[in-house]
Amino acid sequence: MIREALVGGRLVVGFPGTRLSAEVAGHLRAIHAGGVIAFERNFETPEQFRSLIACVHSALGREVLVMADHEGGRVVRFPRGLTPFPDALTVGETRDAAWVDGQGATEANELRALGVQVNLAPCVDVLVAGSDPIIGTRAYGSDPQRVAALGAARIRGGQRQGAAMCAKHFPGLGAVPQDPHKRLPTVTLDWDAMRRVHLVPFVEAIKADVALVMSSHVCYPRLEPIPNTPATFSSPLMRGLLRDELGFGGVVVSDDLEMGALREVCPIGEAAVRAVAAGHDLLLICADPGAQRAAFEALCRAYQDGRLSTRDLEPCVERIARLRARVGLNSP
């Protein structure tokens, strides 16, 4: 029998409200959630948010990973009480690597004071003219070397101050023609274009010892041989490219599995299984408790019936344990 706590430990989930209800607490216990992701809906003041996170830890009887998208500009989850930083595109046009290192350090100190250990930033996608604005100002620009240098500086600054940082969205979302929150996009670039441009910042992020890499819900038909397979479900990209070729040994986390891009492909339980099979350690499911429960149950079944290998579970658990230790959490 697979231990349900090991399965649930791979889920990072969002929940409603600025107070932890008994219903939500029971749900988090039932799926053995390994982490939570914070949004503006959870935040009133720093003091309130710290209390909320303390209640989550207490309700589960253990400390969980707490994550947030704290990119700067239009993508922030805490509108008050933290230093406001400009969007990445403005930073890329006006600041140097030393300044960005300082930004990462300041963000880390402020997030850790709130109880957040993982900053799901920076976005190291290389902006391509004419792409969907979902990336837009979230990118440091269209020069892969500059994006790489600033992304690595942000990572080093944040991780020096005790936060775990995340490079996203692998293998590169800067040329995306549609918003994957809504539809499943396709990027038709070949290996040469990807290596020359879009993979460059990820290579530098890995050299900077980035703690996490987040994948993209985008099809790359010239990189992945199976049609209509987003990177989220692609073992050649997540295992072959990211792990084996680029040598990333940290935690691979999915983007939100509730996005419209994946709903076009399969139900969320199947999405969870396929993402794990492709090589993800942690899965983000940011809103719907029904979807979170469906993913948990589908993963348990997949391990029990042999579709997912328990041999692959052990190194995943080890990587998550190293992430927890990195941010000062004990093993659950």
Side-chain angles (χ1 to χ4, degrees), residues 125-136:
D125 300 303
V126 179
L127 189 61
V128 172
S131 61
D132 188 277
I134 184 60
I135 294 302

Side-chain angles (χ1 to χ4, degrees), residues 31-314:
I31 64 170
H32 302 273
V36 296
I37 179 167
F39 290 88
E40 189 170 352
R41 63 179 182 250
N42 304 123
F43 184 86
E44 291 175 342
T45 66
E47 294 75 21
Q48 165 272 325
F49 186 78
R50 283 192 290 269
S51 176
L52 173 63
I53 296 305
C55 288
V56 170
H57 295 318
S58 177
L60 272 67
R62 54 190 166 83
E63 291 183 306
V64 298
L65 289 164
V66 182
M67 304 186 181
D69 295 289
H70 195 65
E71 297 180 19
R74 61 186 167 94
V75 182
V76 293
R77 308 308 187 196
F78 309 109
R80 294 171 294 280
L82 282 76
T83 302
F85 285 101
D87 61 73
L89 190 60
T90 299
V91 171
E93 292 171 346
T94 61
R95 305 292 183 175
D96 61 14
W99 188 93
V100 177
D101 180 292
Q103 175 188 355
T106 297
E107 291 169 334
N109 286 329
E110 294 178 344
L111 290 172
R112 290 306 307 257
L114 287 178
V116 177
Q117 312 105 1
V118 179
N119 186 3
L120 296 173
C123 175
V124 297
D125 300 303
V126 179
L127 189 61
V128 172
S131 61
D132 188 277
I134 184 60
I135 294 302
T137 58
R138 299 167 66 192
Y140 285 116
S142 55
D143 177 353
Q145 300 299 331
R146 182 154 179 78
V147 173
L150 297 184
R154 180 101 166 267
I155 289 162
R156 291 189 180 101
Q159 294 189 163
R160 188 175 61 250
Q161 296 305 116
M165 304 292 286
C166 176
K168 60 187 187 184
H169 306 79
F170 187 84
L173 196 58
V176 71
Q178 294 176 301
D179 181 356
H181 290 83
K182 301 173 183 176
R183 300 296 304 273
L184 178 64
T186 296
V187 169
T188 58
L189 298 175
D190 61 14
W191 278 110
D192 180 64
M194 293 299 293
R195 293 187 195 282
R196 284 188 296 103
V197 178
H198 298 280
L199 289 177
V200 172
F202 290 99
V203 171
E204 292 305 308
I206 292 168
K207 289 179 181 178
D209 193 30
V210 69
L212 304 96
V213 169
M214 179 185 288
S215 61
S216 68
H217 299 329
V218 177
C219 294
Y220 301 83
R222 301 183 73 178
L223 313 184
E224 158 58 58
I226 301 175
N228 299 317
T229 300
T232 315
F233 300 157
S234 172
S235 184
L237 291 176
M238 305 316 300
R239 295 184 189 274
L241 178 59
L242 181 58
R243 292 281 190 213
D244 298 340
E245 181 178 334
L246 300 186
F248 179 62
V251 166
V252 177
V253 60
S254 77
D255 210 337
D256 184 5
L257 295 187
E258 293 182 81
M259 286 186 185
L262 296 192
R263 288 201 300 270
E264 292 188 21
V265 180
C266 59
I268 196 160
E270 176 68 8
V273 173
R274 292 180 66 178
V276 166
H280 289 76
D281 300 307
L282 293 174
L283 307 178
L284 292 181
I285 308 177
C286 294
D288 180 9
Q292 295 159 6
R293 182 77 190 192
F296 171 71
E297 292 173 349
L299 289 172
C300 288
R301 286 194 302 270
Y303 279 112
Q304 289 163 358
D305 65 21
R307 183 178 175 191
L308 293 176
S309 170
T310 55
R311 290 193 304 272
D312 293 335
L313 183 58
E314 183 176 347

